[in-house]
Amino acid sequence: MKTRDRLRIAMQKSGRLTEPALELLNRCGLTFRQSRDKLFCFGDGEPVDLLLVRDDDIPGLIAQGVCELGIVGRNVMNEFQLAAGRDSAPLREWRPLGFGRCRLSIAVPQEFDYRRPQDLAGQRIATSYPGLLGEWLRTHGVDATAVTLSGSVEIAPKLGTADAICDLVQSGGTLVANQLRETEVLLESEAVLAGPVALPADERGDMIDLLLKRLDGVIQVRESRLLLLQTSRATLEAVTRLLPGGPQPTLLPVLGQPDQLMLQALCAGEVSWRQLEEIKKAGAREMFVLPVEKMLA
Ligand code: ATP
Ligand code: ZN
């Protein structure tokens, strides 16, 4: 059988991860022919195509080699790994992507007097994540029953089908609305780039290498700011000491003002007004904070 030479990336067809995943791929220079209602989207420039599927199917598609990469929640990927066990090809989290953040938590009804994991012994816990819950219960030596539900987990205690739940939480609003209280965090999750442990050793592997480099640039850029300012040589040291972390700043001469320098620094995160005011007090002038659009180390 002839192997494919085009790379395939699976992502959620419609849901929380769809828009940010597509935007991220676009930022990496990947664009696709519009066919949003279809399973398959043909890539325009690079030899990369998209599969639009339910998020739960993504790890399996990678494990079967139907696609090389997938954008999926860590919760879904880890649950798949636990459910599939040793028979399935292991997956690797190639990059965390910084969106779709949530946590997998245990929550109990307000009146449940919860103090420690052992309080769950003998209880029924409703969840769509029996693998992750089972692993947590084992690590804590708790003998409880996981009741697997595919949706609406949060109403199980009210319906009397469970005593507690183990579900995804983002703001906690759903829990409050259902008179539940979060008691344990089992997993901090976000969207990840998932793929096989061993990447294909052909053009597809080369394309993945290229994509990972672009992705690193995009992720780094998302948080980076370029700080520009002027300072005299006398205040340079005081100013430099206050700069937010990042690589060594660059110094440039200012034409006609031998005592003045222009300083350029890449900052790893947001630069706040407070920080700017402090740096200004130390002697800086003409300060600019600029967003970074592209970066290639
Ligand atoms: P699909 O039809 O693809 O199966 P779904 O209903 O399983 O959709 P979504 O609700 O869109 O999926 O959630 C996709 C992912 O978004 C989750 O697996 C999780 O990683 C992340 N996520 C972030 N916040 C939340 C939240 N509050 N509730 C559920 N998922 C969340
Ligand atoms: Zn799903």
Short mmCIF file of all heavy atoms in Angstrom, two decimals, residues 12 54-56, ligand 2:
data_model
loop_
_atom_site.label_atom_id
_atom_site.label_comp_id
_atom_site.label_asym_id
_atom_site.label_seq_id
_atom_site.Cartn_x
_atom_site.Cartn_y
_atom_site.Cartn_z
N GLN A 12 -11.72 19.22 16.29
CA GLN A 12 -13.15 19.14 16.60
C GLN A 12 -13.97 19.85 15.52
O GLN A 12 -13.66 20.97 15.13
CB GLN A 12 -13.40 19.79 17.97
CG GLN A 12 -14.73 19.41 18.56
CD GLN A 12 -15.00 20.13 19.88
OE1 GLN A 12 -14.40 21.16 20.18
NE2 GLN A 12 -15.91 19.59 20.65
N ARG A 54 -15.70 14.47 15.85
CA ARG A 54 -16.02 14.67 17.27
C ARG A 54 -14.72 14.57 18.06
O ARG A 54 -13.86 13.73 17.75
CB ARG A 54 -16.99 13.59 17.74
CG ARG A 54 -18.41 13.81 17.24
CD ARG A 54 -19.37 13.05 18.11
NE ARG A 54 -19.20 13.44 19.51
CZ ARG A 54 -19.69 12.75 20.54
NH1 ARG A 54 -20.36 11.63 20.34
NH2 ARG A 54 -19.50 13.17 21.77
N ASP A 55 -14.59 15.37 19.08
CA ASP A 55 -13.30 15.40 19.80
C ASP A 55 -12.93 14.03 20.39
O ASP A 55 -11.77 13.65 20.40
CB ASP A 55 -13.29 16.49 20.89
CG ASP A 55 -14.28 16.24 22.01
OD1 ASP A 55 -15.17 15.38 21.85
OD2 ASP A 55 -14.14 16.90 23.06
N ASP A 56 -13.95 13.26 20.79
CA ASP A 56 -13.69 11.96 21.40
C ASP A 56 -13.05 10.96 20.42
O ASP A 56 -12.44 9.99 20.84
CB ASP A 56 -15.01 11.35 21.91
CG ASP A 56 -15.85 12.39 22.63
OD1 ASP A 56 -16.41 13.28 21.96
OD2 ASP A 56 -15.90 12.34 23.87
ZN ZN B 2 -16.91 15.00 22.94
#
